[in-house]
Amino acid sequence: MTLNVGVIGTGMIGQDHIRRLTQVLPGARVAAVADIDLDRAKAAADNVPGSRVHQSGLDLVGDESIDAVVVCSWGPAHPEPVLACIEAGKPVFCEKPLATTEEDCDQIVDAEVAVGRRLVTVGFMRRYDAGYQAMKQALSRGEIGAPLIMHSAHRNASVPASVTSEMIVLDTGVHDIDIARWLLDAEVAATAVLKPRRGSRAADDLQDPLILLLEMSSGVLVDIEVLVNSGYGYDIRGEIVGETGTVELAETAAVVIKRDGGFGGRVPADWRERFVRAYDAELQQWIDAASAGTATGPSSWDGYAATAVTNAGVQALHGGARVEVSLRPQPDLYRAAGGTGGKG
Ligand code: NAD
Ligand code: ISE
């Protein structure tokens, strides 16, 4: 069976996922697209023979020929189509963040719990990255003993002038929050934000870099450096310090070049290059699950928990103090082990 997929939001990652669904991965075809920028939707559809353009995301979800939906619009626009998919019983892959407010995430969790089966997968692609998976295996095999501290660095080469300090937490730091929860198998109990000296590439008023501190429920402390105008490339770093050793992400360059008395390798340009295999794996697993009418991987609960932390982080960014994170009780639906995204 070929899964008929509709894609909502045909910007940067929407186009990248359309390419992946159309040219790279078996089992699915892009049958329809929608974007509030109709010209952009039409341009995307032009590259996919046989695909239709819908006037809105809701029209696309309501199209009976669409089996499953990929949501790649801006964060605040995610809840509407995700809730419509749940109501229609259609599996939905939603790019991160699931929603930008805890209230919207709550509503999605409630709707999915009411249906009684998983339909939502959130695009926390780091969980599918070979490096992070090897870190998790090292931890679960006890190779470094109990984890004590995690260091994470998330550096973008540059961002558009429209990016705000809040978005650095909500949209960028959210990846590090999710991967910390997943690797350490614990929730975040409290967060604080430190504000280093601002880099000269940062636009006026942008707190770049910033450091998010997480206190995990297990007592592990996590420091997350987010720098969105590194200038030199897209650099993702991670290390966990345990009682008997450490585990650290390796450099991703396939080769090291030595010449003129020095050595070096390539730094990825952006997330599309750094996580290309992780995105392939996450969407392939999503296609396989959606074809069976269900969902695996990072869940609505994971989306909710991450957003609860980013919302506390934004409060800490403005208020300067440590902010406690209090989560609702976890519904049973999300307790079972769920493959790459499972927390159980
Ligand atoms: P983008 O601005 O390039 O594209 C977003 C598109 O969504 C635009 O074409 C816009 O017109 C459209 N859009 C906005 N509201 C809409 C609505 N209500 N209905 C239909 N279309 C709508 O942004 P992007 O970089 O592609 O990011 C899109 C989403 O993907 C964001 O949630 C972002 O956080 C996420 N993202 C994830 C990763 C990752 O590494 N997993 C990387 C990049 C972006
Ligand atoms: C973007 O939306 C992503 O998700 C990228 O992975 C991240 O590195 C970037 O900072 C975000 O804006």
Side-chain angles (χ1 to χ4, degrees):
M1 163 200 163
T2 299
L3 188 74
N4 285 310
V5 176
V7 178
I8 300 172
T10 54
M12 277 175 81
I13 202 155
Q15 290 171 32
D16 201 38
H17 285 337
I18 289 171
R19 175 193 60 78
R20 179 166 282 117
L21 291 164
T22 307
Q23 299 170 21
V24 182
L25 306 176
R29 64 182 280 266
V30 174
V33 298
D35 196 297
I36 44 164
D37 180 340
L38 207 55
D39 289 339
R40 190 176 283 177
K42 283 180 184 154
D46 284 347
N47 290 325
V48 186
S51 65
R52 286 181 301 288
V53 175
H54 281 288
Q55 296 294 318
S56 75
L58 287 186
D59 283 354
L60 181 147
V61 175
D63 179 340
E64 286 189 355
S65 70
I66 295 298
D67 303 316
V69 175
V70 170
V71 176
C72 299
S73 50
W74 299 316
H78 291 173
E80 185 182 67
V82 169
L83 286 165
C85 284
I86 295 172
E87 198 181 325
K90 295 187 181 185
V92 54
F93 174 89
C94 179
E95 260 308 337
K96 44 60 59 177
L98 176 60
T100 52
T101 69
E102 214 174 313
E103 294 71 26
D104 280 342
C105 291
D106 257 335
Q107 223 189 319
I108 292 169
V109 166
D110 287 341
E112 199 176 31
V113 167
V115 168
R117 69 189 167 105
R118 279 203 52 195
L119 287 166
V120 180
T121 301
V122 183
F124 287 127
M125 77 298 181
R126 289 187 182 189
R127 296 185 184 203
Y128 302 83
D129 175 68
Y132 281 118
Q133 291 188 345
M135 279 178 97
K136 187 152 176 77
Q137 281 158 17
L139 280 172
S140 59
R141 283 196 297 258
E143 288 182 34
I144 63 162
L148 307 172
I149 299 170
M150 176 171 169
H151 306 293
S152 193
H154 187 155
R155 302 182 191 142
N156 289 200
S158 64
V159 289
S162 54
V163 167
T164 62
S165 303
E166 290 78 12
M167 286 162 74
I168 294 182
V169 178
L170 292 166
D171 212 41
T172 300
V174 70
H175 281 293
D176 306 75
I177 291 164
D178 177 70
I179 207 66
R181 292 179 59 250
W182 183 67
L183 286 171
L184 300 168
D185 202 12
E187 295 294 0
V188 178
T191 185
V193 173
L194 301 179
K195 302 176 184 175
R197 174 181 168 186
R198 293 185 330 105
S200 56
R201 291 192 181 92
D204 287 350
D205 298 332
L206 190 68
Q207 182 52 57
D208 183 31
L210 59 75
I211 295 176
L212 266 169
L213 296 175
L214 309 182
E215 297 173 26
M216 307 304 290
S217 52
S218 54
V220 177
L221 284 187
V222 181
D223 60 81
I224 302 171
E225 169 211 312
V226 194
L227 169 66
V228 295
N229 288 288
S230 78
Y232 71 87
Y234 187 76
D235 196 8
I236 302 298
R237 313 178 73 84
E239 181 184 19
I240 295 177
V241 181
E243 285 179 321
T244 59
T246 76
V247 58
E248 187 175 0
L249 286 179
E251 294 293 345
T252 53
V255 290
V256 171
I257 295 173
K258 297 181 181 175
R259 64 173 187 185
D260 300 332
F263 68 88
R266 183 175 161 72
V267 180
D270 64 16
W271 33 269
R272 286 172 295 196
E273 181 180 348
R274 168 62 179 84
F275 287 111
V276 62
R277 288 188 193 85
Y279 294 121
D280 287 350
E282 80 172 346
L283 272 191
Q284 186 64 66
Q285 289 189 30
W286 177 75
I287 291 168
D288 296 345
S291 299
T294 186
T296 56
S299 66
S300 298
W301 175 263
D302 296 312
Y304 155 77
T307 294
V309 180
T310 58
N311 283 199
V314 169
Q315 226 181 302
L317 175 72
H318 293 307
R322 168 185 178 275
V323 177
E324 292 194 357
V325 178
S326 136
L327 298 181
R328 61 187 276 178
Q330 189 182 39
D332 288 343
L333 181 63
Y334 306 110
R335 284 186 202 281
T340 304
K343 296 243 336 128

